[in-house]
Amino acid sequence: MKIVMIDYGVGNLRSVHKALASVGAEVVQSDDPETILAGEKVVLPGVGAFKDGMRGLQARHLIDVLDIIAARRTPLLGICLGMQLFFSSSSEMGETKGLGFVGGKVLPFPENELKVPQTGWNQLQIDPSQPLFNGMQDKSHVYFNHGYYCEPADPSDAIARTDYGVAFAASIHRGSIYGVQFHPEKSQDVGLQILKNFVEECL
Amino acid sequence: MLAKRIIPCLDIKDGRVVKGVNFINLRDAGDPVEQAKIYNDAGADELVFLDISASVEGRETMAKVVTAVADHVFMPLTVGGGIRTVEDMRRLLAAGADKISINTAAVDNPSLITGGAKRFGSQCIIIAVDARRNGAGGWEVLTYGGRKTTGLDAVAWIRKAVEMGAGEVLLTSMDADGTLSGYDLELTALAAEGVNVPIIASGGAGCVQDFADVLTLGKADAALAASLFHDNQLSIPDLKSYLAAHNIPVRIT
């Protein structure tokens, strides 16, 4: 399975690359539209601010490329910021428009006694029928590091939820679009299982 | 529920794991990749690598160590020690680190915190603080591995560092460090109440009870230890079972 990781200048892609390779994928990193469009599956990683992410895609003329990938129904996995960019908009540093593949918003955690960013291992309440979670147990811990969370307009787009003051969408699935708010590449065996499932099971 | 984290710290000198008290009587304790794999399998939640190399060559070796480890274990990695510029941060993040810990350089030049946070995000920037009781009911920040006094109040400095963009605090009690008699609960709780970012407590762990205390009374989000884990005085699975039995949320693997 040939997986293309989109390199748009936000964060280090090395760990995601190594993790995908370790579950048997043939991985290339690219910002070249033709290479990206030739991928059997595509991964949009990323850490950092929403605005920087959209700017990074725009500067490389990759927004149209992602639109084509979504229209062709090529399986697309967003990780952390990558998943957030799939949404309609984010309120991080002022309202910013996203890719709009999934209706809904990216919101800051409410101000309360909980620490922000959420840093560390939290549990997933999964929809076990989802191919992304094949072979996984409910309540598995995965590693999060984020200050904003996604709220899909259609609640059924959320296929796993995690409780951190709010029960937010830790993972989404809509058509050929998949997203994880956590870092599977940093979540030891559970994370590798999820990546393996994306590579082998998700259509 | 968000789990409390257990974090082994590995001191690295010229590409090797070393052990010793207060950087004295260092002895070789093995290959970083092998050590990291052992901790990964034991269920450590995160790893901290502290570069104590003095030389430029040692610093360059550190980036290679990070890459070798990141290629073999899939867990969060923090690197600290000798990081003085945003470019140093970039180099180590590109090598495979997830978070960067800065200590002396941040005191000497606080704008480094903002520079790193703007470029890589606050979630990447850990402010490491070495604090010692000042005899007047407070704690003073020490730099250069505890050799230099700064006159800074530790809790005030932590607040400032967080305001400037640090996303996490690694707080070491120099009084407790190496004593095996428990974390400085008072200091840790004061810091945890003062800021809205996670606190990693460090210095003084000697037994399972010390971890339970700092994660409850000390209000820490994570507890770090070094020699206790390296010398196999305490196994991480045993520690986590103890914490779980005492209703402290931990990740059991």
Side-chain angles (χ1 to χ4, degrees), chain A residues 12 14 121-122 143 186 188, chain B residues 3 40 45 71 74 98 251:
Chain A
N12 164 34
R14 188 183 179 90
W121 298 79
N122 205 335
Y143 184 77
K186 292 286 156 186
Q188 295 180 339
Chain B
N40 180 72
D45 296 309
D71 286 354
F74 298 103
D98 300 291
R251 182 181 66 110

Side-chain angles (χ1 to χ4, degrees), chain A residues 149-188:
Chain A
Y149 71 95
C150 298
E151 192 47 67
D154 179 351
S156 71
D157 288 346
I159 57 170
R161 288 195 179 266
T162 292
D163 192 4
Y164 195 66
V166 288
F168 69 88
S171 179
I172 53 153
H173 175 208
R174 186 177 181 88
S176 57
I177 308 284
Y178 297 83
V180 289
Q181 178 62 69
F182 50 90
H183 289 278
E185 78 282 10
K186 292 286 156 186
S187 297
Q188 295 180 339

Side-chain angles (χ1 to χ4, degrees), chain B residues 69-208:
Chain B
V69 171
D71 286 354
H72 287 92
V73 300
F74 298 103
M75 63 189 292
L77 305 175
T78 294
V79 179
I83 294 156
R84 304 206 64 86
T85 63
V86 171
E87 173 55 23
D88 289 343
M89 297 179 182
R90 191 205 58 76
R91 196 168 45 86
L92 289 163
L93 290 168
D98 300 291
K99 298 190 265 192
I100 296 295
S101 154
I102 49 175
N103 186 332
T104 299
V107 173
D108 290 350
N109 170 24
S111 69
L112 181 62
I113 303 170
T114 314
K118 279 218 176 106
R119 177 91 184 266
F120 311 111
S122 287
Q123 82 290 336
C124 264
I125 309 297
I126 299 184
I127 182 73
V129 177
D130 294 337
R132 189 171 66 193
R133 285 180 188 266
N134 62 11
W139 288 262
E140 182 181 2
V141 176
L142 302 178
T143 52
Y144 295 93
R147 293 191 300 275
K148 189 166 176 266
T149 55
T150 63
L152 288 172
D153 174 73
V155 176
W157 166 237
I158 288 168
R159 274 211 197 99
K160 184 179 173 197
V162 170
E163 272 167 29
M164 294 188 75
E168 200 166 359
V169 179
L170 168 52
L171 177 56
T172 302
S173 159
M174 299 301 277
D175 304 296
D177 203 22
T179 63
L180 305 180
S181 59
Y183 294 92
D184 187 332
L185 302 181
E186 205 185 336
L187 168 65
T188 311
L190 213 57
E193 284 160 4
V195 292
N196 191 36
V197 301
I199 306 280
I200 305 168
S202 157
C207 65
V208 288

